[in-house]
């Protein structure tokens, strides 16, 4: 008998076809939103699950899934999963690093440029029919070229963003849990800085850190108030890394110039303050969303699940201490 697996979101046909070669698949072709109770019911007799950020895999849920052996997340971040609880239960957890690096870095630049040059605000102005004449001082933006770029989180994505900064002749500094080897710093043209020094120095602050209790509200009121009043914040990391309430205040009071955001606390709900502001560019968590990349992410999760349930070691196991 084939193992039984659940795929919580509508994935690509290629991915479903691949999974069907190995498993009995409970799919979600209508891409319904399942609440915790519905997810628990569906998982009750499953051996594995392909999840997304929208699924909270916590201890209570795991307790109701006695057969569960693997949770394979579509995404590099996996803060939606209680990895400790999975490890104790012998459940393998995997993520999808690498395949989304370049697309996500592209999008960080899309947000940075759109925010600096007020693209969405300018487009709304045109759509409203407000453009009746050319003005010298119309929609004045901020120069990106030659500016000071500060990156929090210098993993794969942070480094890919850093590589792109060269084309804009920017000066680059970063802050990370661990300092990079000197050779990597040299290749990227990036100097290490302490957190406060980076906030005070940067014209653009870009966040790429994973979410954890350590990075919860990494950027809060105190940090925002350290930034230059001309600075722009870009968050492609995770909701919760920024204190949204404090950011709304900082944007409203022009304590910082603007922000470009892809992620939010409590998403998909949006802090109502953001909607009223003109100096924020808002995207619905789509940094990795190109067809090629989302397909590669889903396929990576599927491959991880096949390895996990056929006695192999999945390539992207995040809890290697797990007892098979
Ligand atoms: C995903 C992400 O699209 O990889 C991540 O951690 O935030 C996004 O690229 C999302 O997690 C889908 O589950």
């Amino acid at each position: 008998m084939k193992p039984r697996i659940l795929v919580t979101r509508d994935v690509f046909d290629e991915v479903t076809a691949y999974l069907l070669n190995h498993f009995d698949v409970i799919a979600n072709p209508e891409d319904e939103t399942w609440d915790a109770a519905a997810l628990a019911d569906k998982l009750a007799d499953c051996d594995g699950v392909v999840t997304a950020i929208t699924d909270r895999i916590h201890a209570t849920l795991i307790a109701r899934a006695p057969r569960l052996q693997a949770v394979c997340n579509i995404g590099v971040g996996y803060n939606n999963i209680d990895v400790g609880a999975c490890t104790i239960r012998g459940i393998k957890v995997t993520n999808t690093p690498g395949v989304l690096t370049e697309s996500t870095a592209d999008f960080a630049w899309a947000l940075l440029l759109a925010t600096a040059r007020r693209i969405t605000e300018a487009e709304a102005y045109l759509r409203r029919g407000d453009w009746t004449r050319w003005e010298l001082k119309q929609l004045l933006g901020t120069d990106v070229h030659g500016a000071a770029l500060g990156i929090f989180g210098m993993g794969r994505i942070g480094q890919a963003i850093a590589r792109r900064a060269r084309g804009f002749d920017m000066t680059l500094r970063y802050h990370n849990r661990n300092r990079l080897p000197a050779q990597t710093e040299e290749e990227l043209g990036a100097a290490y800085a302490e957190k406060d020094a980076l906030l005070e120095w940067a014209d653009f602050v870009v966040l790429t850190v994973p979410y954890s209790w350590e990075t919860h509200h990494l950027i809060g009121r105190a940090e925002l108030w350290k930034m230059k009043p001309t600075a722009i914040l870009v968050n492609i990391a995770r909701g919760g890394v920024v204190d949204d309430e404090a950011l709304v205040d900082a944007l409203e009071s022009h304590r910082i110039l603007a922000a470009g955001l892809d992620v939010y606390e409590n998403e998909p709900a949006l802090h109502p303050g953001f909607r009223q502001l003109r100096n924020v560019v808002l995207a619905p968590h789509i940094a990795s969303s190109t067809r090629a990349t989302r397909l590669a992410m889903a396929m990576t999760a599927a491959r991880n699940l096949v390895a996990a349930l056929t006695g192999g070691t999945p390539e992207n196991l995040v809890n290697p201490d797990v007892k098979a």
Side-chain angles (χ1 to χ4, degrees):
M1 216 173 74
K2 285 180 179 173
R4 190 174 167 82
I5 65 134
L6 178 69
V7 182
T8 65
R9 303 307 305 256
D10 180 30
V11 291
F12 301 87
D13 290 348
E14 300 89 310
V15 179
T16 308
Y18 170 73
L19 288 168
L20 281 167
N21 288 334
H22 301 270
F23 307 124
D24 278 341
V25 178
I26 308 172
N28 182 7
E30 305 299 329
D31 210 23
E32 286 167 20
T33 304
W34 296 332
D35 62 15
L39 184 58
D41 285 349
K42 290 180 196 301
L43 264 187
D45 59 353
C46 283
D47 303 291
V49 59
V50 175
T51 54
I53 191 175
T54 43
D55 307 305
R56 301 256 157 262
I57 307 294
H58 47 74
T60 321
L61 187 79
I62 292 165
R64 292 189 53 194
R67 281 170 51 176
L68 195 63
Q69 296 168 51
V71 177
C72 298
N73 209 40
I74 302 175
V76 63
Y78 48 89
N79 56 299
N80 54 313
I81 300 168
D82 184 338
V83 178
C86 286
T87 307
I88 291 168
R89 253 285 311 277
I91 298 169
K92 292 172 183 161
V93 179
T94 67
N95 67 343
T96 64
V99 292
L100 50 76
T101 302
E102 302 301 328
S103 299
T104 305
D106 287 349
F107 193 80
W109 277 97
L111 263 186
L112 189 154
L113 286 161
T115 311
R117 300 306 304 270
R118 303 171 66 178
I119 301 281
T120 52
E121 192 186 343
E123 194 196 352
Y125 173 79
L126 256 82
R127 284 184 190 275
R128 279 196 310 270
D130 286 353
W131 192 33
T132 52
R133 61 189 204 126
W134 185 91
E135 288 166 29
L136 188 71
K137 293 191 274 183
Q138 211 156 36
L139 286 157
L140 297 174
T142 299
D143 276 327
V144 174
H145 69 272
L149 174 62
I151 301 179
F152 279 86
M154 236 352 174
R156 290 184 185 84
I157 296 171
Q159 293 186 31
I161 293 169
R163 284 198 304 277
R164 287 157 173 76
R166 262 200 229 128
F168 288 92
D169 291 326
M170 297 177 95
T171 314
L172 183 54
R173 295 186 188 167
Y174 75 98
H175 183 75
N176 199 41
R177 257 175 316 184
N178 305 307
R179 196 169 167 168
L180 298 175
Q183 195 190 331
T184 314
E185 285 188 352
E186 202 181 323
E187 280 162 15
L188 294 170
Y192 182 82
E194 291 302 334
K195 179 181 168 184
D196 287 354
L198 193 58
L199 289 166
E200 284 160 17
W201 169 83
D203 298 315
F204 294 90
V205 172
V206 178
L207 308 175
T208 78
V209 296
Y211 179 79
S212 70
W213 62 268
E214 285 168 297
T215 59
H216 179 74
H217 288 185
L218 175 77
I219 304 295
R221 182 170 301 273
E223 290 75 19
L224 290 161
W225 261 249
K226 286 194 172 96
M227 288 170 65
K228 294 177 184 172
T230 51
I232 287 175
L233 178 73
V234 173
N235 186 10
I236 55 141
R238 266 291 178 276
V241 170
V242 175
D243 176 348
D244 284 353
E245 177 77 32
L247 179 57
V248 166
D249 270 7
L251 291 167
E252 241 165 29
S253 60
H254 301 284
R255 189 55 203 77
I256 67 167
L257 184 69
L261 307 174
D262 189 44
V263 287
Y264 311 88
E265 290 190 291
N266 311 315
E267 62 184 55
L270 202 61
H271 188 297
F274 287 133
R275 275 199 215 106
Q276 317 305 323
L277 291 166
R278 282 197 304 177
N279 53 345
V280 63
V281 175
L282 304 167
H285 202 148
I286 52 168
S288 65
S289 190
T290 66
R291 189 184 193 282
T293 293
R294 285 276 168 93
L295 173 59
M297 290 164 68
M299 197 49 110
T300 301
R303 286 204 195 93
N304 283 328
L305 187 54
V306 170
L309 294 186
T310 55
T313 303
E315 197 181 330
N316 310 117
L317 188 64
V318 302
N319 57 343
D321 294 341
V322 72
K323 303 257 185 308

